[in-house]
PDB file of all heavy atoms in Angstrom:
ATOM      1  N   ILE A  24      25.168  26.759-116.958  1.00 86.00           N
ATOM      2  CA  ILE A  24      24.213  27.950-116.970  1.00 86.00           C
ATOM      3  C   ILE A  24      25.001  29.177-117.059  1.00 86.00           C
ATOM      4  O   ILE A  24      24.648  30.120-117.807  1.00 86.00           O
ATOM      5  CB  ILE A  24      23.356  27.928-115.630  1.00 86.00           C
ATOM      6  CG1 ILE A  24      22.398  26.669-115.701  1.00 86.00           C
ATOM      7  CG2 ILE A  24      22.615  29.236-115.562  1.00 86.00           C
ATOM      8  CD1 ILE A  24      21.428  26.656-116.805  1.00 86.00           C
ATOM      9  N   ALA A  25      26.199  29.238-116.354  1.00 87.00           N
ATOM     10  CA  ALA A  25      27.007  30.433-116.481  1.00 87.00           C
ATOM     11  C   ALA A  25      27.556  30.632-117.840  1.00 87.00           C
ATOM     12  O   ALA A  25      27.618  31.765-118.356  1.00 87.00           O
ATOM     13  CB  ALA A  25      28.218  30.406-115.454  1.00 87.00           C
ATOM     14  N   SER A  26      27.930  29.530-118.523  1.00 85.00           N
ATOM     15  CA  SER A  26      28.429  29.631-119.857  1.00 85.00           C
ATOM     16  C   SER A  26      27.264  30.072-120.807  1.00 85.00           C
ATOM     17  O   SER A  26      27.501  30.806-121.734  1.00 85.00           O
ATOM     18  CB  SER A  26      29.103  28.333-120.290  1.00 85.00           C
ATOM     19  OG  SER A  26      28.078  27.292-120.528  1.00 85.00           O
ATOM     20  N   THR A  27      26.064  29.568-120.562  1.00 85.00           N
ATOM     21  CA  THR A  27      24.895  29.974-121.390  1.00 85.00           C
ATOM     22  C   THR A  27      24.677  31.455-121.275  1.00 85.00           C
ATOM     23  O   THR A  27      24.447  32.098-122.277  1.00 85.00           O
ATOM     24  CB  THR A  27      23.678  29.189-120.884  1.00 85.00           C
ATOM     25  OG1 THR A  27      23.962  27.797-121.033  1.00 85.00           O
ATOM     26  CG2 THR A  27      22.457  29.528-121.707  1.00 85.00           C
ATOM     27  N   LEU A  28      24.722  31.950-120.033  1.00 87.00           N
ATOM     28  CA  LEU A  28      24.509  33.370-119.862  1.00 87.00           C
ATOM     29  C   LEU A  28      25.607  34.144-120.537  1.00 87.00           C
ATOM     30  O   LEU A  28      25.387  35.264-121.160  1.00 87.00           O
ATOM     31  CB  LEU A  28      24.415  33.723-118.376  1.00 87.00           C
ATOM     32  CG  LEU A  28      23.222  33.171-117.717  1.00 87.00           C
ATOM     33  CD1 LEU A  28      23.321  33.458-116.141  1.00 87.00           C
ATOM     34  CD2 LEU A  28      21.959  33.841-118.186  1.00 87.00           C
ATOM     35  N   SER A  29      26.859  33.681-120.481  1.00 89.00           N
ATOM     36  CA  SER A  29      28.007  34.369-121.081  1.00 89.00           C
ATOM     37  C   SER A  29      27.857  34.400-122.592  1.00 89.00           C
ATOM     38  O   SER A  29      28.052  35.433-123.278  1.00 89.00           O
ATOM     39  CB  SER A  29      29.290  33.691-120.718  1.00 89.00           C
ATOM     40  OG  SER A  29      29.545  33.721-119.328  1.00 89.00           O
ATOM     41  N   ILE A  30      27.505  33.275-123.196  1.00 87.00           N
ATOM     42  CA  ILE A  30      27.290  33.098-124.582  1.00 87.00           C
ATOM     43  C   ILE A  30      26.187  34.069-125.079  1.00 87.00           C
ATOM     44  O   ILE A  30      26.286  34.717-126.116  1.00 87.00           O
ATOM     45  CB  ILE A  30      27.075  31.679-125.025  1.00 87.00           C
ATOM     46  CG1 ILE A  30      28.351  30.826-124.817  1.00 87.00           C
ATOM     47  CG2 ILE A  30      26.622  31.547-126.434  1.00 87.00           C
ATOM     48  CD1 ILE A  30      28.115  29.378-124.960  1.00 87.00           C
ATOM     49  N   SER A  31      25.043  34.017-124.328  1.00 89.00           N
ATOM     50  CA  SER A  31      23.940  34.902-124.616  1.00 89.00           C
ATOM     51  C   SER A  31      24.341  36.394-124.633  1.00 89.00           C
ATOM     52  O   SER A  31      24.030  37.119-125.552  1.00 89.00           O
ATOM     53  CB  SER A  31      22.788  34.662-123.713  1.00 89.00           C
ATOM     54  OG  SER A  31      22.320  33.396-123.795  1.00 89.00           O
ATOM     55  N   PHE A  32      25.053  36.754-123.685  1.00 91.00           N
ATOM     56  CA  PHE A  32      25.515  38.203-123.446  1.00 91.00           C
ATOM     57  C   PHE A  32      26.414  38.514-124.592  1.00 91.00           C
ATOM     58  O   PHE A  32      26.291  39.591-125.230  1.00 91.00           O
ATOM     59  CB  PHE A  32      26.164  38.361-122.133  1.00 91.00           C
ATOM     60  CG  PHE A  32      26.538  39.820-121.862  1.00 91.00           C
ATOM     61  CD1 PHE A  32      25.674  40.767-121.604  1.00 91.00           C
ATOM     62  CD2 PHE A  32      27.892  40.193-121.935  1.00 91.00           C
ATOM     63  CE1 PHE A  32      26.007  42.125-121.416  1.00 91.00           C
ATOM     64  CE2 PHE A  32      28.348  41.414-121.657  1.00 91.00           C
ATOM     65  CZ  PHE A  32      27.347  42.432-121.471  1.00 91.00           C
ATOM     66  N   PHE A  33      27.386  37.702-124.931  1.00 92.00           N
ATOM     67  CA  PHE A  33      28.411  37.935-125.992  1.00 92.00           C
ATOM     68  C   PHE A  33      27.687  38.061-127.320  1.00 92.00           C
ATOM     69  O   PHE A  33      27.895  39.042-128.103  1.00 92.00           O
ATOM     70  CB  PHE A  33      29.393  36.856-126.030  1.00 92.00           C
ATOM     71  CG  PHE A  33      30.481  37.009-127.045  1.00 92.00           C
ATOM     72  CD1 PHE A  33      31.393  38.014-126.884  1.00 92.00           C
ATOM     73  CD2 PHE A  33      30.549  36.166-128.110  1.00 92.00           C
ATOM     74  CE1 PHE A  33      32.390  38.184-127.877  1.00 92.00           C
ATOM     75  CE2 PHE A  33      31.483  36.362-129.026  1.00 92.00           C
ATOM     76  CZ  PHE A  33      32.459  37.283-128.986  1.00 92.00           C
ATOM     77  N   LEU A  34      26.699  37.098-127.608  1.00 91.00           N
ATOM     78  CA  LEU A  34      26.081  37.217-128.892  1.00 91.00           C
ATOM     79  C   LEU A  34      25.169  38.373-128.974  1.00 91.00           C
ATOM     80  O   LEU A  34      24.955  39.007-130.127  1.00 91.00           O
ATOM     81  CB  LEU A  34      25.198  35.908-129.145  1.00 91.00           C
ATOM     82  CG  LEU A  34      26.084  34.604-129.372  1.00 91.00           C
ATOM     83  CD1 LEU A  34      25.189  33.397-129.406  1.00 91.00           C
ATOM     84  CD2 LEU A  34      26.896  34.742-130.658  1.00 91.00           C
ATOM     85  N   CYS A  35      24.499  38.726-127.891  1.00 91.00           N
ATOM     86  CA  CYS A  35      23.670  40.049-127.896  1.00 91.00           C
ATOM     87  C   CYS A  35      24.509  41.236-128.172  1.00 91.00           C
ATOM     88  O   CYS A  35      24.070  42.108-128.920  1.00 91.00           O
ATOM     89  CB  CYS A  35      22.946  40.158-126.626  1.00 91.00           C
ATOM     90  SG  CYS A  35      21.561  39.011-126.332  1.00 91.00           S
ATOM     91  N   ILE A  36      25.711  41.365-127.643  1.00 93.00           N
ATOM     92  CA  ILE A  36      26.582  42.459-127.894  1.00 93.00           C
ATOM     93  C   ILE A  36      27.019  42.561-129.326  1.00 93.00           C
ATOM     94  O   ILE A  36      26.954  43.548-129.990  1.00 93.00           O
ATOM     95  CB  ILE A  36      27.810  42.357-127.032  1.00 93.00           C
ATOM     96  CG1 ILE A  36      27.483  42.516-125.509  1.00 93.00           C
ATOM     97  CG2 ILE A  36      28.881  43.378-127.418  1.00 93.00           C
ATOM     98  CD1 ILE A  36      26.986  43.870-125.089  1.00 93.00           C
ATOM     99  N   ILE A  37      27.296  41.306-129.926  1.00 92.00           N
ATOM    100  CA  ILE A  37      27.659  41.310-131.365  1.00 92.00           C
ATOM    101  C   ILE A  37      26.492  41.714-132.229  1.00 92.00           C
ATOM    102  O   ILE A  37      26.621  42.484-133.157  1.00 92.00           O
ATOM    103  CB  ILE A  37      28.160  39.907-131.706  1.00 92.00           C
ATOM    104  CG1 ILE A  37      29.525  39.639-131.024  1.00 92.00           C
ATOM    105  CG2 ILE A  37      28.320  39.708-133.208  1.00 92.00           C
ATOM    106  CD1 ILE A  37      30.077  38.207-131.157  1.00 92.00           C
ATOM    107  N   VAL A  38      25.358  41.104-131.961  1.00 91.00           N
ATOM    108  CA  VAL A  38      24.138  41.475-132.826  1.00 91.00           C
ATOM    109  C   VAL A  38      23.769  42.930-132.634  1.00 91.00           C
ATOM    110  O   VAL A  38      23.402  43.601-133.630  1.00 91.00           O
ATOM    111  CB  VAL A  38      23.003  40.539-132.410  1.00 91.00           C
ATOM    112  CG1 VAL A  38      21.669  41.055-132.941  1.00 91.00           C
ATOM    113  CG2 VAL A  38      23.248  39.084-132.854  1.00 91.00           C
ATOM    114  N   ALA A  39      23.863  43.470-131.445  1.00 89.00           N
ATOM    115  CA  ALA A  39      23.600  44.871-131.199  1.00 89.00           C
ATOM    116  C   ALA A  39      24.514  45.765-132.069  1.00 89.00           C
ATOM    117  O   ALA A  39      24.069  46.701-132.688  1.00 89.00           O
ATOM    118  CB  ALA A  39      23.665  45.262-129.770  1.00 89.00           C
TER     119      ALA A  39
END
Side-chain angles (χ1 to χ4, degrees):
I24 295 297
S26 70
T27 301
L28 293 173
S29 300
I30 290 169
S31 296
F32 182 73
F33 181 70
L34 289 175
C35 285
I36 295 289
I37 289 173
V38 167

